[in-house]
Amino acid sequence: MTRQRVLGIVGSPRRGGNTDILVDAVLDGAKARGASAEKVILSDLDIAPCEACDGCKDRGECITLDAMEELFSRMFASDVWVLGTPVYWWGPSAQFKAFLDRWYSQVQRAEDKARFKGRRIILAIPMGDAEPRTARNVVGMMEDALHYVKAELFATILAPGASDMGDVRRMDDVMSAARRAGEEAVS
Ligand SMILES: Cc1cc2nc3c(=O)[nH]c(=O)nc-3n(C[C@H](O)[C@H](O)[C@H](O)COP(=O)(O)O)c2cc1C
């Protein structure tokens, strides 16, 4: 098998926070199995929300020229995407939702949409609430979106009870599950 490429995408603005830590754990697992890994923090990038202009329907690409162009290139050059967002108000972070909405420009033409097919996705979702059900809207949104683009939802790492910076580090079972998901996704 050729060397697998893994891209981590962090949807929390809190650098070194729980989402960042979880995504790193997945990437570490993948690297331990010989994959190459890189990571982007969405809040470092200039990513505008979708304007719903439907320009992509005519042009096949988004009319908004910002960091999404380059991010799409990196995504489609990678085999595995580790998508992390904290739960914010029972949904994803605004940064993550803006990122996801921009996928709209990539599903207008069959040949573009086909590029999602077979990508392996690992979700990493911390939340302050102790009840994992709190992540149900984020998980449901991603299950439906990934099914729509025919990407493979490989693993979902939930970290309930992670409220303060770094809380997730103390959750041995969650950290091991994240690392294992990274190992298995590239094996
Ligand atoms: C604006 C905002 C909204 C939040 N809403 C929720 C929520 O609805 N449910 C929940 O369990 N935690 C909620 N939280 C807590 C975060 O999910 C939690 O602190 C998480 O660990 C943050 O991840 P991070 O460290 O990667 O930023 C919210 C936090 C913020 C800042």
Side-chain angles (χ1 to χ4, degrees), residues 8-66:
I9 298 178
V10 175
S12 168
R14 200 151 70 156
R15 189 176 284 275
N18 296 311
T19 312
D20 202 7
I21 293 167
L22 282 176
V23 169
D24 277 346
V26 178
L27 298 183
D28 285 347
K31 283 190 280 190
R33 290 285 169 93
S36 70
E38 51 180 34
K39 184 177 78 173
V40 298
I41 312 274
L42 292 178
S43 61
D44 284 349
L45 304 178
D46 172 31
I47 298 176
C50 174
E51 294 285 346
C53 67
D54 274 347
C56 55
K57 289 194 169 165
D58 303 323
R59 295 159 45 111
E61 60 190 55
C62 189
I63 60 139
T64 304
L65 300 177
D66 60 13

Side-chain angles (χ1 to χ4, degrees), residues 10-22 84-93 125-131 134-135 159-168:
V10 175
S12 168
R14 200 151 70 156
R15 189 176 284 275
N18 296 311
T19 312
D20 202 7
I21 293 167
L22 282 176
T85 177
V87 175
Y88 277 5
W89 288 99
W90 294 269
S93 69
I125 310 171
M127 70 214 83
D129 201 325
E131 181 52 62
T134 298
S163 190
D164 294 335
M165 284 280 277
D167 272 353
V168 79

Side-chain angles (χ1 to χ4, degrees), residues 1-8 23 25-38 77-82 118-122 152 154-155 177-187:
M1 193 193 279
T2 55
R3 193 173 191 220
Q4 298 273 294
R5 296 175 69 163
V6 185
L7 177 65
V23 169
V26 178
L27 298 183
D28 285 347
K31 283 190 280 190
R33 290 285 169 93
S36 70
E38 51 180 34
S78 304
D79 309 287
V80 179
W81 303 343
V82 186
R119 306 280 164 197
R120 214 161 236 199
I121 315 299
I122 297 169
E152 177 195 3
F154 184 75
R179 191 181 163 88
R180 203 164 49 244
E183 290 168 359
E184 290 173 356
V186 299
S187 297

Side-chain angles (χ1 to χ4, degrees), residues 130-150:
E131 181 52 62
R133 189 173 173 272
T134 298
R136 69 192 179 283
N137 300 322
V138 183
V139 173
M141 174 189 75
M142 290 311 299
E143 283 173 351
D144 288 348
L146 296 174
H147 180 259
Y148 177 65
V149 299
K150 297 190 168 59

Side-chain angles (χ1 to χ4, degrees), residues 100-116:
L100 186 63
D101 283 354
R102 294 287 296 280
W103 291 20
Y104 185 75
S105 67
Q106 304 298 305
V107 299
Q108 304 303 334
R109 295 196 302 204
E111 65 266 35
D112 291 333
K113 190 175 172 190
R115 297 189 299 169
F116 287 89

